[in-house]
Amino acid sequence: MATEDDPILTTRDAAALLGVSVKTAQTWIEQGQIESWKTPGGHRRVRASAVNGLRDRLGNRRHASTIIDSAVALVVASDARLPTYVEAAAAAGLRAIGQSDPLNAMLDAGIAMPAVIAVELMAGDWERQSMCRRLLHSRDLAHTRMLLVTDMPAARVKADLGTMSRVKLLQSPADKPAFATALVSCLALTSSDGDDALSYPVAANEAARLRAVERTGLVDSMNDPEFDEVVQLTAEMLRVPISLMTLLTPDRQWFKARWGLNAHETPRPWAFCNFTIMQNDVFVVENAAVDPLFNANPLVVNEPRIRFYAGAPLRDAGGNALGALCGIDRQPRVIDATQRRRLVNLAALASDRIALLKGTRLNRWVKGA
């Protein structure tokens, strides 16, 4: 049975705590590097102490003062509890911003673009409840998860806020270990109704990543023959009917270039590329129909009925992942090492072209053209 000092974590929680991809965490668990067990439903579970033990052995303990790209956590709580929660967030490796006033908290959220917002929300606190509702329905904060430390039942919170897909509840009062663990788990939060097709991982530097996407000036821009050529080459190289160059905004997966598909965008929660941008290498799904991460995804169940996916991240000069270059097939398949390498090379070419366009635009502005 879980204790407050050693809670039970999912594989995604473990991945977030270790700062690695879910796939890497799964591999380590299967190899026995993290002691685990299976639930009656067949899902792996681990103890926080086991995950922290591996993190210590890897020499990978994170400190907020030294990790520039750690996730930003906005903590909104009473003056009495705020120092405790901010300290817990910092101990978890997050860059914590503390605020007790709801209006100032909303201003901070708009500036910092936090990956997670933790709110002490008690029954009858209508001001903070209104703040939570506005933050959850903000398009600019569509990537943000929310942790509510509350004395209210889940049904009451859902009725008040109207959505729970990005919300995690923690019973009040919460001690430091429970608060820190819940914050970290929010970074890999799944949909509250268990629909994995509507869940996706969020990068620790998501706020910086979104700003980098905006700086490209490419979202909703006109077609560009140079990028159209890249997706065509990708489709031919992978021998697939569909290829896309995607950019991931707070709420959309927008296609800067596409081959074999008429759609211009999808909702971001549907995007396979959410997982690609968490990798440095190629992300491959050989058969989405039997993959538990994707088998209920609308793009798998309905048109274009994705079965195979292979993607490589697109990055700017600062290393921020902007989106992905990917190939898609309606049939299950595999790719070899040569195709993986060429996909990485084509993604690097597309990234260079993005940087070139951005540089050209900046030069025009400087010259006043």
Side-chain angles (χ1 to χ4, degrees):
M1 182 175 292
T3 67
E4 289 186 345
D5 292 331
D6 194 13
I8 294 173
L9 306 180
T10 66
T11 302
R12 292 191 182 195
D13 295 339
L17 197 58
L18 290 165
V20 300
S21 69
V22 174
K23 184 176 180 180
T24 297
Q26 288 172 335
T27 299
W28 288 347
I29 290 172
E30 295 297 334
Q31 290 175 345
Q33 297 189 51
I34 306 173
E35 185 178 355
S36 67
W37 70 94
K38 283 189 177 182
T39 67
H43 301 290
R44 287 284 180 183
R45 294 293 182 266
V46 298
R47 292 279 185 183
S49 59
V51 178
N52 287 327
L54 176 61
R55 187 174 66 170
D56 291 342
R57 294 196 300 275
L58 293 172
N60 193 35
R61 183 173 294 279
R62 297 167 51 137
H63 297 279
S65 60
T66 58
I67 302 298
I68 297 175
D69 288 332
S70 63
V72 175
L74 173 61
V75 181
V76 187
S78 62
D79 290 331
R81 298 297 298 172
L82 188 60
T84 298
Y85 291 157
V86 168
E87 288 175 8
L94 305 170
R95 289 189 289 140
I97 300 172
Q99 188 58 258
S100 59
D101 179 73
L103 178 59
N104 287 333
M106 285 192 288
L107 294 174
D108 284 342
I111 295 171
M113 298 288 285
V116 58
I117 301 174
V119 183
E120 183 184 39
L121 180 63
M122 313 306 285
D125 192 338
W126 310 117
E127 199 171 11
R128 284 194 189 155
Q129 182 186 114
S130 176
M131 176 200 72
C132 291
R133 189 183 300 112
R134 292 181 64 179
L135 292 173
L136 285 169
H137 290 277
S138 167
R139 286 191 60 178
D140 292 335
L141 297 172
H143 68 285
T144 300
R145 272 55 172 161
M146 184 173 287
L147 171 65
L148 297 181
V149 183
T150 183
D151 59 354
M152 296 185 289
R156 169 71 182 278
V157 175
K158 184 175 182 179
D160 290 340
L161 299 185
T163 178
M164 293 291 286
S165 63
R166 293 182 287 130
V167 178
K168 184 178 182 68
L169 300 184
L170 182 63
Q171 190 65 35
S172 176
D175 62 13
K176 281 186 179 181
F179 184 81
T181 299
L183 265 184
V184 171
S185 70
C186 278
L187 297 177
L189 189 63
T190 61
S191 174
S192 61
D193 60 5
D195 186 356
D196 284 342
L198 298 182
S199 66
Y200 57 92
V202 176
N205 67 333
E206 177 70 359
R209 193 197 69 76
L210 290 171
R211 288 192 292 268
V213 172
E214 184 177 359
R215 285 195 299 268
T216 67
L218 292 179
V219 177
D220 294 323
S221 62
M222 300 294 289
N223 287 358
D224 191 310
E226 290 191 346
F227 295 122
D228 293 341
E229 179 185 38
V230 172
V231 292
Q232 181 179 351
L233 287 172
T234 301
E236 293 173 351
M237 183 273 295
L238 293 176
R239 297 191 293 276
V240 295
I242 300 170
S243 179
L244 305 168
M245 175 181 164
T246 71
L247 297 172
L248 296 178
T249 76
D251 58 352
R252 291 188 294 160
Q253 174 184 230
W254 184 77
F255 307 145
K256 173 56 186 172
R258 62 196 193 281
W259 178 264
L261 193 69
N262 291 326
H264 293 270
E265 62 181 47
T266 74
R268 180 167 171 186
W270 298 3
F272 285 52
C273 295
N274 283 313
F275 294 83
T276 302
I277 66 171
M278 304 296 288
Q279 315 276 330
N280 289 321
D281 200 358
V282 175
F283 178 70
V284 177
V285 179
E286 295 179 353
N287 187 356
V290 298
D291 190 310
L293 282 177
F294 302 105
N295 59 7
N297 189 300
L299 300 176
V300 176
V301 177
N302 304 309
E303 288 296 331
R305 300 192 183 280
I306 296 173
R307 293 299 177 266
F308 167 82
Y309 169 96
L314 304 172
R315 299 189 182 277
D316 69 1
N320 296 297
L322 308 172
L325 177 67
C326 63
I328 293 169
D329 202 341
R330 296 182 177 87
Q331 302 296 327
R333 59 182 303 152
V334 297
I335 57 174
D336 58 31
T338 298
Q339 290 172 309
R340 286 174 178 263
R341 184 177 67 254
R342 288 175 178 171
L343 179 56
V344 170
N345 291 341
L346 286 169
L349 173 63
S351 298
D352 289 343
R353 290 184 175 180
I354 291 173
L356 181 60
L357 281 179
K358 179 183 173 184
T360 301
R361 187 175 68 254
L362 288 174
N363 287 336
R364 286 202 299 265
W365 288 345
V366 169
K367 295 177 181 178

